[in-house]
Amino acid sequence: RCNLLVYCTDLPPTSIIITFHNEARSTLLRTIRSVLNRTPMHLIQEIILVDDFSSDPDDCKLLIKLPKVKCVRNNERQGLVRSRIQGAGIAQGTTLTFLDSHCEVNRDWLQPLLHRVKEDYTRVVCPVIDIINLDTFNYIESASELRGGNPTYGLHVSWESIRVTEKATGLGIFSPVMTPIIAGGLFVIDKAWFDYLGKYDSEMDIWGGENFEMSFRVWMCGGSLEIIPCSRVGHVFRKKHPYIFPDGNTNTYIKNTKRTAEVWMDEYKQYYYAARPFALERPFGNIENRLSLRKNLQCESFQWYLKNVYPELSIPKDSLIQKGNIRQRQKCLETQKRKNQEIPNLKLSPCIKIKGEEAKSQVWAFTYTQQILQEELCLSVITFFPGAPVVLVLCKNGDDRQQWTKTGSRIEHMASHLCLDTDMFGEGTENGREFVVNPCESSLMSQHWDMVSS
Ligand code: LR7
Ligand code: MN
């Protein structure tokens, strides 16, 4: 039961950290007011507002008139990760309580969370997240029997029923629920444990991905994640981001999630790339620090995580993802930009290396969904007949005209069972070759391809 008497009487006060960028004043105020109204004062060490360079510096400054409230402001937009690290850095409590800037905490929300962390400092605990309606701002109770998941490996949180997984500990619906992934915004963590575990990856920008990074890290490095049904906090779910991403929404999300996959997912990162093939080509900065953190903390493998924490997550069908050149003898399949055309030409050209790396235009990804792609363009055959041209089109999942298999040295087109070939007499390209599909014939050198991984 959610009975206050069961919680430790000597819970230590916590530092509540709220970062925000251009949050509506009324919403920010609602968050803080609800905290002050519904939390025993002796449990609040302080409320640290981190103003992530909002347009109006007064939003933060005016709020320090409220009890316990402190305000720090970034001189430059940092994103939520570096802002939270900043807030944690000045916190004086022994635990950190993170909240988004558009929440309403419910009655007695904090005691159950602090209690679980006091019992075991390695627990990272979250409330059940209720819904504040975007249009009416009504508070709506959400289902309690949910936990966070990652069914497609795309590193995007989705919710799954715990009934299915039977992970509830048997004490009924009020008992803590283990969760493989946390939503990311609302949780309590012991401060020393937060520091010891490497805080956050400070190279992550603006928004996204840090929740997976933290989830994998906590589990793999000796902690656990729980949802506590006796604690409830409402959150305004928005349809789109109410703020700008200086480097673009997708670029930022891919950078952050790619860092997560590269540091924590070991060989399973192939499934992340399979779900987000564009990520293969994207820059993601340096991860040395995070890799050595993982090593120093002697964290478990991702395989351990899957086996022990998230056995319900099924592995996509095998076939490795590969990245590299597609070669015919000394030549490489490449794309060539055309004037005033979105879609580049396909060509067979001498293989090039620039500073020891394959030229970008000659690097192809082979996904487990059996597409061969560069950026967001996939090799495809539109109509099937011997000699039909191979073209580049926008990738679309599940379209068998874009699917290929490598059988020996041939690359077979799945839908037509024809093989990738070059046509000596093709017109329209200067060197007289164009890419076609023809009946498979293993003796033909023009159907002989090597996939050379980079
Ligand atoms: O540049 C920024 N600087 C910031 O300080 C961008 C955002 N922020 C602040 C922002 O004002 C807000 O207070 O960071 C907080 C989170 O940003 P949101 O509210 O835009 O994020 P979200 O609610 O859409 O997304 C969820 O996933 C995020 C991934 O990066 C974060 O982990 C959010 O905290 C997280 N929110 C929750 O977990 C709330 C419950 C959602 C559910 C289920
Ligand atoms: Mn939010």
Side-chain angles (χ1 to χ4, degrees):
R1 284 301 185 85
C2 300
N3 184 342
L4 282 180
L5 296 176
V6 303
Y7 304 122
C8 310
T9 46
D10 53 346
L11 292 168
T14 188
S15 296
I16 298 174
I17 299 170
I18 302 170
T19 79
F20 67 95
H21 175 75
N22 287 350
E23 184 63 68
R25 273 192 181 185
S26 53
T27 321
L28 191 53
L29 188 61
R30 176 176 178 172
T31 309
I32 299 164
R33 275 294 8 150
S34 72
V35 169
L36 291 171
N37 290 346
R38 293 180 175 153
T39 316
M41 273 315 212
H42 71 276
L43 293 184
I44 308 178
Q45 174 75 40
E46 62 206 334
I47 300 174
I48 299 174
L49 302 180
V50 184
D51 172 0
D52 189 13
F53 197 55
S54 303
S55 314
D56 185 352
D58 284 345
D59 289 353
C60 197
K61 280 191 208 137
L62 290 173
L63 286 164
I64 54 175
K65 291 183 184 147
L66 292 172
K68 308 256 185 187
V69 176
K70 297 175 181 169
C71 157
V72 284
R73 177 172 160 89
N74 296 336
N75 302 323
E76 217 182 320
R77 179 89 177 275
Q78 295 293 345
L80 68 90
V81 164
R82 289 190 289 275
S83 300
R84 282 182 195 168
I85 293 174
Q86 164 106 358
I90 60 167
Q92 290 171 350
T94 52
T95 57
L96 308 173
T97 300
F98 291 98
L99 291 178
D100 274 11
S101 48
H102 33 261
C103 290
E104 178 182 328
V105 301
N106 214 318
R107 271 180 29 224
D108 301 321
W109 67 291
L110 187 61
Q111 296 92 322
L113 301 175
L114 295 182
H115 174 79
R116 287 298 284 179
V117 175
K118 182 162 191 209
E119 277 185 346
D120 177 351
Y121 69 91
T122 67
R123 291 174 184 154
V124 176
V125 300
C126 313
V128 171
I129 301 163
D130 286 325
I131 298 158
I132 299 177
N133 184 286
L134 184 63
D135 301 312
T136 62
F137 270 72
N138 284 339
Y139 190 108
I140 303 155
E141 201 176 309
S142 69
S144 309
E145 311 86 13
L146 297 176
R147 58 172 210 176
N150 174 34
T152 64
Y153 283 84
L155 301 187
H156 214 94
V157 182
S158 63
W159 297 93
E160 47 188 46
S161 170
I162 51 165
R163 291 257 166 76
V164 181
T165 66
E166 311 263 8
K167 267 277 155 70
T169 44
L171 296 169
I173 60 168
F174 297 108
S175 59
V177 175
M178 302 220 305
T179 183
I181 305 287
I182 55 170
L186 328 179
F187 62 96
V188 177
I189 185 170
D190 180 87
K191 183 175 178 340
W193 183 233
F194 176 79
D195 290 340
Y196 172 82
L197 282 180
K199 301 172 185 177
Y200 269 118
D201 177 353
S202 62
E203 298 290 300
M204 289 191 178
D205 303 324
I206 308 300
W207 177 95
E210 96 293 339
N211 39 2
F212 284 93
E213 197 271 345
M214 170 159 276
S215 300
F216 298 157
R217 185 156 45 89
V218 167
W219 277 115
M220 288 163 64
C221 309
S224 62
L225 303 173
E226 294 181 344
I227 297 170
I228 312 297
C230 284
S231 172
R232 307 191 77 105
V233 174
H235 169 261
V236 184
F237 288 83
R238 286 144 344 162
K239 292 200 182 76
K240 57 179 195 179
H241 300 286
Y243 44 74
I244 287 167
F245 287 65
D247 295 330
N249 184 333
T250 317
N251 289 345
T252 307
Y253 194 75
I254 292 290
K255 178 186 170 192
N256 296 348
T257 51
K258 185 169 178 174
R259 292 181 67 82
T260 303
E262 287 289 337
V263 175
W264 295 102
M265 289 176 72
D266 303 331
E267 69 272 22
Y268 293 86
K269 71 184 177 194
Q270 65 173 299
Y271 303 118
Y272 162 76
Y273 287 118
R276 299 192 178 272
F278 312 146
L280 275 168
E281 310 299 330
R282 293 284 195 273
F284 62 108
N286 187 310
I287 53 170
E288 292 297 311
N289 285 343
R290 299 309 280 181
L291 288 173
S292 51
L293 171 82
R294 179 173 168 183
K295 208 168 150 222
N296 293 339
L297 295 180
Q298 299 184 314
C299 307
E300 301 280 358
S301 66
F302 198 77
Q303 188 176 25
W304 175 93
Y305 167 83
L306 286 180
K307 182 160 174 262
N308 294 281
V309 181
Y310 203 2
E312 299 81 10
L313 184 62
S314 54
I315 305 288
K317 50 179 169 145
D318 58 352
S319 88
L320 277 169
I321 191 166
Q322 262 190 34
K323 202 185 125 188
N325 292 152
I326 299 177
R327 291 193 187 203
Q328 192 180 89
R329 302 189 210 212
Q330 305 309 325
K331 295 200 164 171
C332 280
L333 176 59
E334 78 167 12
T335 52
Q336 267 190 358
K337 292 241 153 59
R338 292 186 289 178
K339 247 195 198 146
N340 305 326
Q341 297 274 348
E342 291 266 335
I343 309 266
N345 262 332
L346 288 170
K347 271 200 67 178
L348 199 57
S349 305
C351 301
I352 327 170
K353 284 205 172 195
I354 304 164
K355 291 190 196 142
E357 279 192 51
E358 287 81 2
K360 244 184 144 181
S361 62
Q362 296 184 346
V363 174
W364 297 88
F366 203 92
T367 71
Y368 87 94
T369 51
Q370 297 183 292
Q371 287 156 314
I372 301 177
L373 58 90
Q374 203 178 87
E375 301 279 340
E376 46 266 281
L377 296 173
C378 277
L379 290 187
S380 178
V381 181
I382 307 293
T383 44
F384 313 151
F385 55 88
V390 175
V391 292
L392 282 171
V393 295
L394 273 181
C395 297
K396 200 172 134 219
N397 272 340
D399 184 344
D400 67 357
R401 292 173 306 178
Q402 300 184 356
Q403 289 177 313
W404 304 82
T405 44
K406 183 97 165 74
T407 44
S409 63
R410 284 170 298 160
I411 298 176
E412 187 179 321
H413 184 245
M414 300 268 283
S416 64
H417 298 291
L418 299 168
C419 278
L420 182 65
D421 203 344
T422 48
D423 181 354
M424 292 276 271
F425 309 105
E427 282 166 44
T429 48
E430 316 94 302
N431 67 352
R433 280 176 190 267
E434 66 178 15
F435 293 90
V436 293
V437 283
N438 272 320
C440 300
E441 180 58 68
S442 51
S443 62
L444 277 178
M445 280 314 285
S446 60
Q447 290 187 10
H448 189 112
W449 299 96
D450 290 317
M451 308 267 290
V452 183
S453 300
S454 45

